[in-house]
Amino acid sequence: MDPQLGPPPSSIRILSLNCWGLKFISKLRNERLTEIGNQIAAASPQPDIVGLQECWTQQDYNAIREKTQHILPYGKFYHSGIFGGGLVILSRWPILESNMVRYPLNGRPAAFYRGDWFVGKGVACARIQMGPSKRDIAEVFCTHVSWAFNYKVYTLTPIASRPVRTRTTRLLHLPPNSPSVGDHKTHACSR
């Protein structure tokens, strides 16, 4: 553990945002991702940990990092699938380890125009050292799940019947109190 780290924080400020950064599809993508970096850097109070979804390209990640590295010096861009996982974790504290676990179900290949099948959605995982001892480690998870489209009733419904939180916890064999951020595709009636 790093003895140079100060005492662990008494609270943590976490920001989660879907950047809507689909290359070739999202209008004003470059401008949006640059402005997201500007807004994170100017946020008051400043976030300690940021989880981003739909940050699909290394170029977009670099644009955000350029603006935020003075307050969030540690970061990870997660690669997965053909076009990437679209997930990013930024942190005020050192990231000790990180990996990404792909979800076994990511849309349908026949619905190629939605992109879910190709991008390799999943959950990004980072172990973050927030203080000097072994007990001062946060397990941070960032996810972006796929949706099934139900055209008969013009609504969106989650692909799996159980809440994303439960699926993520079971997939990674996590204790139920592990924090998770992301685009969970849930609504007020989710159970």
Side-chain angles (χ1 to χ4, degrees):
M1 302 298 97
D2 189 346
Q4 295 181 9
L5 288 172
S10 59
S11 64
I12 301 172
R13 289 175 301 279
I14 299 174
L15 170 68
S16 177
L17 178 69
N18 182 321
C19 299
W20 198 57
L22 296 170
K23 193 168 185 174
F24 308 118
I25 296 174
S26 299
K27 294 178 182 173
L28 304 173
R29 187 189 102 251
N30 291 332
E31 294 85 347
R32 180 182 311 101
L33 276 283
T34 299
E35 186 59 24
I36 286 170
N38 289 334
Q39 292 297 318
I40 292 170
S44 179
Q46 295 178 337
D48 297 312
I49 297 171
V50 174
L52 300 176
Q53 307 84 48
E54 289 198 27
C55 180
W56 295 109
T57 71
Q58 187 75 45
Q59 173 189 359
D60 292 339
Y61 169 73
N62 292 341
I64 291 172
R65 291 292 292 139
E66 180 181 318
K67 304 290 183 182
T68 62
Q69 62 189 354
H70 67 286
I71 63 164
L72 300 164
Y74 305 95
K76 174 71 177 160
F77 177 76
Y78 293 86
H79 298 276
S80 176
I82 296 172
F83 301 114
L87 300 174
V88 169
I89 294 177
L90 306 174
S91 173
R92 170 181 157 196
W93 302 286
I95 296 174
L96 301 177
E97 349 173 352
S98 68
N99 70 325
M100 182 168 173
V101 178
R102 286 182 63 177
Y103 289 125
L105 180 60
N106 275 309
R108 299 176 299 134
F112 64 89
Y113 49 89
R114 291 186 193 140
D116 289 338
W117 181 264
F118 302 103
V119 297
K121 289 185 177 181
V123 60
C125 316
R127 297 190 66 202
I128 297 175
Q129 182 72 43
M130 301 182 311
S133 81
K134 289 182 180 181
R135 293 179 40 201
D136 302 329
I137 295 175
E139 303 268 356
V140 177
F141 304 93
C142 181
T143 189
H144 185 204
V145 298
S146 300
W147 274 76
F149 293 82
N150 183 343
Y151 290 105
K152 291 181 181 175
V153 293
Y154 301 103
T155 61
L156 299 174
T157 56
I159 273 184
S161 60
R162 294 195 172 138
V164 173
R165 176 83 183 133
T166 301
R167 289 193 321 255
T168 303
T169 299
R170 288 182 182 163
L171 178 65
L172 298 174
H173 308 288
L174 301 174
N177 61 349
S178 299
S180 175
V181 300
D183 187 348
H184 290 194
K185 305 286 194 251
T186 59
H187 52 83
C189 297
S190 295
R191 301 207 189 276

